[in-house]
Amino acid sequence: MRNKKNIVSFLLIFIFFIGFIPFVNADIDYSNPANWAYNGVGENKKVDLFLIAPTVYFGSENNYNMLITDTETKQSFLGALNMERGIYENSCRMYAPYYRQVGLNVYRLGAREAKPYLNIAYEDVKEAFEYYMENKNNNKPVVIAGFSQGSDMALRLLKDYFYKPKHKKLLVAAYLIGWPVTEKDVRCYPYLKMAQGEKDTGVIITFNSEATNVNTSIIVPRKTLGINPLNWSTNNSFADKSLNKGAVFTNYEGNINREIPGLCGAYLDSCRGTLKVTDVSSEDYPPILDLFEDGVYHLYDYQFFFRNLQENVEVRVSEYLNIKDI
């Protein structure tokens, strides 16, 4: 009797496991347009954008990666991309894959526990990028961009692909907003180049916004490299709010709910490398998610500096095209 129970238990576990494998390991077919949130949006642009969405999936007790069949989360996924698209769409034809991103619950795990779930997300992004390069790019210059988890995935892409001459020569810039890029990253991957000003190309642009009194965060626990989007400086010189060309708060359709020129100033913290934001308060701009402490302006990285970023994408695209004479 005991052996029969053991056999039954084994079979139930085996059936469950076999049923689970396709979700974890099955490749997403990126030749299917339904697996792209943006699939060549914006014709007659000389430059492409490969855009990777931030975290919109909360996760659950038993699920740590978004299901590609989860239509409700995919609506939020598309909405989050729409909130950012205005920064890029004037300059770029846009591609953005759906991927089995990790849920917010993964960021509450330890690094070792989180790794397999992040790997699932990244394998999808890799598959999508390889499909895009082989079937859609046609040797066009490309901007790589993300926010938060999307920037983490984009940084992984840069490390894995952009040492190759055929990729490196096409890189206009990589906007990895809301994610740290460390000195160790550029030391271990010397082909990663950080932006030093407003016009350089083939470089990484990143910053992480926080109040002046913040000393650590889940996003930047220690130190990051960065650049100030108001004066395009990598030192700690203060940029007055008069240089802020417009904070823009958009909705899930990409429409502007509110625009505030001159909302905030900023400077880079000389120790943490984060972007210290002045003239706003955490009461007016709360963290919303309990992952972040008051004064961590992570969710506002794009919004606070929207018009400056929009203009900068145009500047770097123009500079790249002039240099390459395309």
Side-chain angles (χ1 to χ4, degrees):
M1 181 66 70
R2 182 180 296 174
N3 287 340
K4 184 178 286 188
K5 286 183 179 179
N6 288 343
I7 291 170
V8 170
S9 298
F10 173 80
L11 287 174
L12 288 172
I13 292 169
F14 181 77
I15 290 167
F16 172 81
F17 184 67
I18 291 298
F20 183 71
I21 284 175
F23 161 64
V24 174
N25 293 320
D27 290 337
I28 295 172
D29 178 11
Y30 284 107
S31 68
N32 182 351
N35 290 324
W36 293 83
Y38 299 157
N39 189 19
V41 175
E43 298 179 359
N44 303 318
K45 300 291 196 306
K46 292 183 177 181
V47 169
D48 280 353
L49 169 72
F50 190 85
L51 180 61
I52 309 171
T55 308
V56 296
Y57 179 57
F58 285 89
S60 65
E61 184 178 352
N62 297 313
N63 289 315
Y64 292 91
N65 289 85
M66 183 188 99
L67 290 167
I68 203 67
T69 54
D70 182 348
T71 55
E72 183 176 347
T73 301
K74 285 171 76 173
Q75 289 179 346
S76 297
F77 194 112
L78 178 60
L81 291 169
N82 287 340
M83 292 177 73
E84 302 171 23
R85 68 179 286 170
I87 290 170
Y88 303 101
E89 65 183 339
N90 292 341
S91 303
C92 305
R93 180 178 65 167
M94 301 186 295
Y95 292 86
Y98 288 112
Y99 68 101
R100 289 171 295 184
Q101 64 172 227
V102 300
L104 288 174
N105 54 347
V106 169
Y107 294 102
R108 295 184 172 91
L109 302 176
R112 181 175 294 181
E113 292 175 281
K115 185 176 180 179
Y117 305 112
L118 287 163
N119 286 345
I120 290 170
Y122 180 56
E123 285 302 314
D124 287 353
V125 172
K126 275 179 63 176
E127 288 286 335
F129 181 70
E130 289 176 358
Y131 178 83
Y132 158 75
M133 289 299 299
E134 291 172 10
N135 298 278
K136 300 292 185 179
N137 175 264
N138 295 318
N139 211 37
K140 289 182 72 170
V142 61
V143 172
I144 304 292
F147 171 60
S148 195
Q149 181 177 168
S151 291
D152 176 16
M153 298 294 121
L155 179 59
R156 295 172 188 230
L157 278 182
L158 293 180
K159 290 176 178 179
D160 282 353
Y161 290 95
F162 284 83
Y163 67 91
K164 302 177 182 179
K166 69 175 183 178
H167 291 79
K168 189 175 182 179
K169 71 178 182 179
L170 296 177
L171 182 62
V172 177
Y175 288 83
L176 310 188
I177 312 303
W179 196 257
V181 181
T182 67
E183 292 176 348
K184 182 179 179 181
D185 288 327
V186 298
R187 185 173 64 252
C188 294
Y189 302 89
Y191 47 90
L192 300 182
K193 305 296 183 185
M194 303 301 296
Q196 299 300 309
E198 182 181 8
K199 295 183 178 181
D200 43 350
T201 60
V203 295
I204 294 171
I205 298 95
T206 188
F207 56 85
N208 292 269
S209 306
E210 62 187 26
T212 57
N213 64 328
V214 172
N215 295 315
T216 188
S217 73
I218 191 171
I219 297 294
V220 186
R222 287 173 294 277
K223 187 176 181 181
T224 181
L225 300 172
I227 195 166
N228 188 332
L230 296 183
N231 60 9
W232 299 107
S233 171
T234 58
N235 61 36
N236 63 349
S237 59
F238 175 67
D240 185 76
K241 66 180 182 179
S242 62
L243 295 175
N244 191 320
K245 298 181 179 181
V248 175
F249 301 88
T250 50
N251 60 24
Y252 265 17
E253 283 71 48
N255 300 319
I256 297 173
N257 288 335
R258 186 168 50 127
E259 181 165 356
I260 311 172
L263 173 67
C264 57
Y267 64 91
L268 287 178
D269 186 285
S270 57
C271 294
R272 283 176 46 68
T274 49
L275 188 69
K276 296 296 189 180
V277 179
T278 62
D279 309 294
V280 295
S281 71
S282 58
E283 289 78 19
D284 292 331
Y285 297 96
I288 301 175
L289 299 173
D290 62 6
L291 280 173
F292 309 119
E293 296 179 356
D294 286 349
V296 176
Y297 296 130
H298 177 68
L299 298 179
Y300 308 101
D301 278 332
Y302 268 112
Q303 296 171 326
F304 280 173
F305 308 101
F306 192 99
R307 292 299 184 196
N308 292 73
L309 286 167
Q310 181 186 60
E311 179 183 82
N312 187 248
V313 172
E314 295 173 2
V315 166
R316 292 188 199 271
V317 164
S318 178
E319 189 71 12
Y320 179 97
L321 295 178
N322 287 337
I323 292 171
K324 303 296 184 180
D325 194 24
I326 295 176

